Amino acid sequence: MIRSHLLFLALILSPFASMAPVHAHGSHGGGSELEAGEFDFTPLLTVEGHAGFDDNLEIPEKHYAADFLIGGEFAWGLGDNKQFSLSAFVGPALVRGGAEHFYGEIHVEDHSEEEHEHEAHPTRSRVDFKAYLEANYKHSDRLNIQAYWNPYLVTSDELEFHADENEWEKFESKGIKNELGAKVKYAFGDGDVDFGLGDSVSDLIDGAYVSVDHRQGWGVDGVFIGNYTDPRLGVGFNYGETSFQVEAGPRYYTPGSYASDLDSRTDFAGEIMISRPVSDEVEFFAHWKVVYSWDKAEGWGRGYQHHVGTGITYKL
């Protein structure tokens, strides 16, 4: 009875969803191969706490958030080990500091007014809403293709009054941010590498893969923020029930026309992900994303951006 209610809820939420945490952290909804014509639905709940630190800015900024996302994965078997799935998640995000933003978004000064030093985002709390919708095509055990949409609703304007200048400064605007992306991943081996069972470093080739991820972003006012492409080399392996995934590569970023003074640039980006089942229904995950930029320009500086998070995914 509970499962049927959750299915009905997921069907209602799916048109609005967009942040597939279960795939983002290496989990699998159904967990088993589906025969041709076979259908499976797995309702899921993901709770994650995460923080971001932008040390590349002249005055470093940071944000903290807790996400509560509910949804599920619909999967269809296509035969010959092929599978197609749709994943949808939606829920509140408790935010302290700045809202999540598309990579590369900068604070653009209005040079027609008297310039003043850019200040860090005020440390305030707010409840936003985020979602995730993903279409995933598994062509084989080695080749996988994804397309996804991430809308993020900022629920209120964030303003701060500067008494010395008798004016308000806006840090966040109410509205919906959007991100669209597509990813292709190709594995060199079968991915069955377990150091807990005696595999050696030379066996890592079985867990190696390459991927290309392209994303585009729009602000709450519909302004195109820019796009970036991540070609990455990665490796995945296990130690007993604990899974590890490490990947890195260049990030090619092109800003939108709102930042016409900025040129395209090449950054370095990487991520480390860890996951472990706690029970048949619960999986723990943690990850660390890092980006390093060499360029120093107005509204953007040389340095690191970090994003760390941890949480659980629960199969309802």
Side-chain angles (χ1 to χ4, degrees):
M1 186 69 175
I2 294 176
R3 188 179 179 90
S4 63
H5 286 167
L6 289 169
L7 174 59
F8 178 69
L9 175 63
L11 286 169
I12 293 175
L13 296 177
S14 60
F16 305 100
S18 164
M19 159 74 211
V22 69
H23 293 293
H25 303 110
S27 303
H28 301 281
S32 59
E33 298 293 338
L34 299 177
E35 300 295 332
E38 187 178 0
F39 168 82
D40 181 67
F41 170 73
T42 304
L44 298 158
L45 171 67
T46 293
V47 179
E48 179 183 3
H50 54 95
F53 307 94
D54 297 343
D55 295 332
N56 63 307
L57 302 179
E58 184 175 334
I59 301 178
E61 293 194 358
K62 53 190 175 183
H63 82 270
Y64 306 93
D67 301 341
F68 302 86
L69 303 179
I70 187 169
E73 179 188 70
F74 306 82
W76 294 266
L78 303 177
D80 296 328
N81 208 27
K82 297 178 175 61
Q83 183 171 298
F84 177 77
S85 62
L86 289 174
S87 300
F89 299 86
V90 66
L94 280 62
V95 181
R96 184 166 177 79
E100 286 189 15
H101 59 273
F102 186 78
Y103 182 78
E105 184 176 352
I106 65 168
H107 177 82
V108 181
E109 298 287 350
D110 185 354
H111 294 284
S112 63
E113 300 178 0
E114 183 180 354
E115 295 187 9
H116 59 273
E117 183 181 15
H118 173 57
E119 298 183 9
H121 194 289
T123 307
R124 296 182 183 146
S125 299
R126 186 179 62 245
V127 179
D128 292 337
F129 287 88
K130 63 192 303 183
Y132 183 89
L133 178 65
E134 177 193 282
N136 186 84
Y137 172 62
K138 176 190 172 188
H139 181 75
S140 66
D141 288 337
R142 296 197 174 192
L143 180 61
N144 197 74
I145 303 172
Q146 298 172 338
Y148 50 87
W149 169 43
N150 297 336
Y152 183 101
L153 172 62
V154 180
T155 56
S156 64
D157 292 334
E158 288 288 336
L159 304 171
E160 185 169 38
F161 184 70
H162 298 277
D164 55 338
E165 300 175 0
N166 194 32
E167 65 177 24
W168 290 87
E169 181 176 6
K170 180 179 289 189
F171 290 88
E172 295 283 358
S173 296
K174 180 170 60 176
I176 298 178
K177 302 180 179 185
N178 283 284
E179 177 181 329
L180 292 175
K183 182 176 182 179
V184 178
K185 180 178 177 180
Y186 180 80
F188 294 112
D190 57 15
D192 187 15
V193 181
D194 193 335
F195 292 139
L197 297 178
D199 288 342
S200 64
V201 174
S202 61
D203 295 311
L204 281 176
I205 186 63
D206 288 329
Y209 63 88
V210 292
S211 66
V212 178
D213 189 2
H214 178 78
R215 307 188 183 204
Q216 303 193 53
W218 291 263
V220 298
D221 51 3
V223 172
F224 180 58
I225 303 300
N227 67 79
Y228 65 88
T229 302
D230 286 346
R232 292 193 179 181
L233 175 64
V235 61
F237 57 91
N238 284 22
Y239 191 91
E241 293 188 326
T242 305
S243 299
F244 299 86
Q245 192 170 322
V246 182
E247 60 182 40
R251 169 167 291 180
Y252 303 109
Y253 174 77
T254 301
S257 59
Y258 84 107
S260 57
D261 292 339
L262 295 184
D263 296 326
S264 300
R265 65 173 189 271
T266 301
D267 300 330
F268 170 83
E271 184 172 7
I272 298 175
M273 294 158 279
I274 303 173
S275 63
R276 179 183 175 87
V278 179
S279 67
D280 291 341
E281 294 80 22
V282 179
E283 180 175 81
F284 163 83
F285 62 83
H287 65 106
W288 168 43
K289 298 180 181 179
V290 60
V291 180
Y292 182 79
S293 181
W294 286 270
D295 287 359
K296 186 172 180 61
E298 182 189 5
W300 192 264
R302 182 183 300 110
Y304 290 92
Q305 289 189 320
H306 300 277
H307 184 98
V308 293
T310 184
I312 60 169
T313 294
Y314 179 61
K315 296 181 181 180
L316 300 168

